[in-house]
Amino acid sequence: MSNPIRLPDIFPPHIADRGRHYFDHGQVLEIRQTAAGRYQAIVRGSAMYSVWLKLDKGLRIQSGGCDCPYDDACKHMAALWYALRARLETQGVPQPLADLLARADEAALRKMLLRLAEDETVRERLTAFLQPEKREEIYQQQVKQMFARAGYDYYDAMDLGIKVQDWLGEVAQDGEAAVADALPLLMPRLIRAYERMDDSDGILADAIDGAVELLDQTTRENAPESLIRCLDKCLKDDRYFEYGDSGYKLYHIRARIWQQNGQWKAWQKYVDTRLAKADEWNSKFWAMARWQLFQAQGDDAGAQDWFERHLYLPEFRKIAVAQAVGQQNWAEAERLLREGMALAGAKGHLGTLYDWKLQLFAVMQQTGADIRALAEDLAFHKDDFSLPHYQAWKATFSEAEWPAEFERLLARLAKSAWLSAEILQHEQKFDLLLSVLKQYAGLSLATLDHFSPSFPEPYHAQIVDCYLTVFDKEISKAHTRKQYRQLAKQLKMLASRYPKQQAVNAFAAEIKVQNNIKPRRPALLEEWERVGF
């Protein structure tokens, strides 16, 4: 999920309702929070399912997963969300433990610690705390145990990722000296496991991020030598750069230490080595890192020369364009953008080319230049429709010129049904839009849902006919209860949306008749009954 969203936006109502039912009946078990901010639980349904969610501070879902067969946001995830909301929004502030311990009897505390130490994990933590000289040995044994049981598949990766994150949380509580002992032991094993395991849900990646974040925090001031050596070893391992972006995060930590210590030669040697073997993709990062090194050293002349020699890279050109725009030097901004467009076009970097066009359009609007050709290009970029650019393009024509230009546009887009439909919808040409939809080979319920709300009431009967044609095809192809259930609910929603159109109920009744004779589909009939048909 790319955008953080609350429960109603991601779960269909019936899924949310069933998730709430599971929560209300106490079927969310063993909730735990990992060091990376994920919440893990077991939800009891037809089986015991492992579920996880990652939430922001506003309880919006950022990512999640479940090992049930359902291939979308499921009721088990919804159940966990309801449980987390209840826990996080209603929990009170407990009495500070420090106050309670201050008043406790020392003998009683010792007795309690001895009882707690019967658990092996607690005993190891207490030993590491009371005997720091044994801490590294204890951590080494714990790391060995965690990875000894690690297999290769998805469930092994999930299990290991959770264990590592929990362990990192405990180490962090033991203090910076503990972190300095623990991370050098963990990092090589963790990247090796990440390389070989199926980390489809990203839990091992979260563990690596947690370790890197802990390393970052612990090296902010007076970085321990053991962690500097750990950093240097990690930065020599290309796997950190090949799998995700942890290598680049590690570099930024090391660069900060180099700068703090004034170790310019070591910093430059590392960056130059990386630049020498970089491919086209990561050379952009290392070229920018070299420029930042010039700036950190206060070498303004070297930084300026490096910057100008690397304007062929989009990252540098974006900075130059931003500077020109900030100074309202529109001519320079346009020159940089057109030059960038030529470079991107020659290399086939279409995404970069599009970005430059967008910025050029904004600059040309500032200068009052002729934007007609560029606005048209952006309005219909790669069969996508951009309404703001379409409106800007249309505004370049007079009222007398526009009708003829509109006819030419429709003729030019005759083979692009979706794009034609988008334009006709905006222009409220409903007769033409209806004709395009009826002839659209890819017409689906989703397409109709997109365009149908714009049609006024006189067209409702024809829109319903389009829907029923598609429903008839979808029902004939459906063969699972899940598909029947979805179609039944969609048809019921159509009946609610167009209550005056009796054709929907008549269609539903006909489907019941057809499927009550051979070959019968009892599951379809049950789902029809469930929604009230």
Side-chain angles (χ1 to χ4, degrees):
M1 305 161 200
S2 57
N3 297 316
I5 37 188
R6 267 193 176 272
L7 180 72
D9 300 317
I10 182 175
F11 298 99
H14 68 288
I15 294 292
D17 288 345
R18 297 188 72 180
R20 182 58 191 249
H21 177 82
Y22 275 20
F23 164 65
D24 288 342
H25 287 76
Q27 292 173 247
V28 183
L29 313 171
E30 300 178 19
I31 298 176
R32 54 194 284 184
Q33 183 178 6
T34 69
R38 289 177 185 249
Y39 293 93
Q40 181 85 15
I42 299 296
V43 177
R44 184 175 62 243
S46 55
M48 304 297 277
Y49 295 112
S50 177
V51 191
W52 65 270
L53 291 175
K54 191 169 186 177
L55 309 179
D56 68 9
K57 292 181 180 178
L59 294 181
R60 289 179 293 271
I61 296 173
Q62 295 182 306
S63 55
C66 178
D67 60 0
C68 74
Y70 193 66
D71 59 358
D72 206 343
C74 65
K75 59 192 175 185
H76 311 107
M77 294 166 63
L80 175 55
W81 186 88
Y82 279 118
L84 292 174
R85 185 183 68 171
R87 169 183 287 195
L88 297 173
E89 290 186 346
T90 63
Q91 64 185 5
V93 179
Q95 183 179 359
L97 182 59
D99 292 345
L100 298 174
L101 291 173
R103 297 196 299 268
D105 176 69
E106 289 186 12
L109 284 176
R110 289 194 188 94
K111 186 176 180 181
M112 179 188 70
L113 287 173
L114 287 170
R115 187 163 61 249
L116 290 172
E118 293 173 4
D119 179 276
E120 182 181 359
T121 302
V122 175
R123 184 165 63 252
E124 288 178 345
R125 288 201 64 196
L126 285 171
T127 303
F129 176 75
L130 296 169
Q131 292 182 287
E133 68 277 8
K134 291 191 174 182
R135 185 165 51 212
E136 186 175 351
E137 180 185 340
I138 292 169
Y139 286 163
Q140 191 170 30
Q141 185 61 31
Q142 290 175 343
V143 169
K144 184 178 179 180
Q145 288 174 351
M146 276 194 294
F147 287 87
R149 304 186 187 95
Y152 295 90
D153 68 13
Y154 163 83
Y155 297 103
D156 293 325
M158 177 182 288
D159 181 60
L160 178 61
I162 292 169
K163 286 179 180 177
V164 170
Q165 290 176 60
D166 288 345
W167 185 75
L168 284 170
E170 293 172 358
V171 169
Q173 291 176 11
D174 291 342
E176 292 186 357
V179 173
D181 286 339
L183 287 184
L185 300 170
L186 174 71
M187 297 300 283
R189 284 182 174 269
L190 188 54
I191 193 64
R192 196 182 312 130
Y194 185 71
E195 180 184 33
R196 70 179 187 173
M197 299 181 83
D198 175 11
D199 189 38
S200 302
D201 261 344
I203 293 182
L204 264 183
D206 276 354
I208 293 177
D209 284 345
V212 172
E213 184 178 342
L214 196 53
L215 198 157
D216 184 18
Q217 294 170 359
T218 313
T219 55
R220 286 281 168 181
E221 297 178 8
N222 301 320
E225 284 298 323
S226 63
L227 291 186
I228 292 177
R229 290 194 298 271
C230 177
L231 264 172
D232 289 338
K233 187 175 181 179
C234 291
L235 287 172
K236 291 177 183 177
D237 192 333
D238 287 340
R239 290 176 296 184
Y240 287 100
F241 296 94
E242 293 167 356
Y243 308 130
D245 60 357
S246 57
Y248 301 100
K249 294 176 182 177
L250 290 165
Y251 163 75
H252 283 301
I253 297 170
R254 191 63 175 99
R256 184 186 68 227
I257 298 172
W258 277 320
Q259 183 173 359
Q260 288 171 345
N261 296 338
Q263 297 171 308
W264 309 113
K265 289 184 179 179
W267 187 359
Q268 180 177 332
K269 181 181 178 182
Y270 181 81
V271 174
D272 287 346
T273 301
R274 280 286 170 186
L275 259 175
K277 66 177 184 179
D279 57 22
E280 184 180 2
W281 174 256
N282 57 29
S283 64
K284 302 171 186 177
F285 176 88
W286 295 113
M288 184 64 69
R290 188 67 178 89
W291 179 58
Q292 291 163 346
L293 174 53
F294 277 117
Q295 291 178 306
Q297 287 177 290
D299 185 353
D300 295 338
Q304 185 62 29
D305 177 65
W306 184 269
F307 187 87
E308 290 173 358
R309 288 194 290 116
H310 287 81
L311 276 174
Y312 66 91
L313 293 173
E315 288 72 16
F316 287 87
R317 189 169 293 271
K318 286 176 184 177
I319 296 171
V321 170
Q323 290 172 345
V325 169
Q327 297 163 3
Q328 297 190 353
N329 188 345
W330 306 118
E332 175 65 4
E334 183 171 343
R335 183 192 71 78
L336 287 165
L337 288 165
R338 290 194 181 279
E339 197 175 74
M341 288 166 59
L343 287 168
K347 291 185 176 181
H349 296 169
L350 301 183
T352 302
L353 176 59
Y354 179 68
D355 288 341
W356 293 143
K357 286 180 179 180
L358 286 174
Q359 292 191 55
L360 179 60
F361 178 79
V363 168
M364 292 175 70
Q365 281 186 312
Q366 290 288 341
T367 61
D370 181 7
I371 62 170
R372 177 178 289 183
L374 184 56
E376 181 181 11
D377 182 22
L378 292 170
F380 312 113
H381 177 71
K382 293 178 66 175
D383 285 338
D384 286 333
F385 180 59
S386 170
L387 180 57
H389 294 108
Y390 174 80
Q391 291 172 325
W393 173 63
K394 180 179 177 180
T396 66
F397 297 93
S398 67
E399 289 188 14
E401 293 172 325
W402 178 246
E405 183 61 31
F406 186 65
E407 290 299 323
R408 284 194 290 271
L409 173 64
L410 291 181
R412 191 166 74 249
L413 300 177
K415 293 184 179 180
S416 180
W418 181 273
L419 200 50
S420 298
E422 290 275 15
I423 293 163
L424 292 168
Q425 181 185 40
H426 172 68
E427 296 290 346
Q428 297 189 336
K429 305 287 186 181
F430 296 115
D431 288 320
L432 287 173
L433 175 55
L434 192 60
S435 176
V436 168
L437 291 176
K438 287 180 177 179
Q439 297 174 36
Y440 183 27
L443 187 62
S444 65
L445 296 176
T447 302
L448 286 169
D449 286 342
H450 178 78
F451 291 106
S452 61
S454 62
F455 281 89
E457 189 170 358
Y459 292 90
H460 286 183
Q462 296 178 74
I463 284 294
V464 166
D465 285 344
C466 289
Y467 266 108
L468 296 182
T469 299
V470 176
F471 266 111
D472 194 45
K473 293 178 182 178
E474 292 296 321
I475 290 170
S476 66
K477 293 188 297 183
H479 61 278
T480 68
R481 182 177 289 275
K482 179 180 174 181
Q483 292 170 329
Y484 300 151
R485 181 177 301 126
Q486 186 66 23
L487 286 168
K489 290 180 179 180
Q490 288 175 305
L491 190 61
K492 192 66 176 179
M493 289 173 63
L494 184 67
S496 301
R497 199 182 312 155
Y498 300 103
K500 296 180 181 180
Q501 305 302 318
Q502 297 302 315
V504 180
N505 289 316
F507 174 83
E510 178 61 24
I511 292 296
K512 287 179 67 174
V513 171
Q514 291 176 4
N515 286 276
N516 205 23
I517 57 178
K518 291 184 180 180
R520 294 181 69 248
R521 288 193 284 184
L524 183 145
L525 296 175
E526 288 174 11
E527 295 304 327
W528 244 236
E529 294 286 349
R530 190 189 299 273
V531 299
F533 281 130

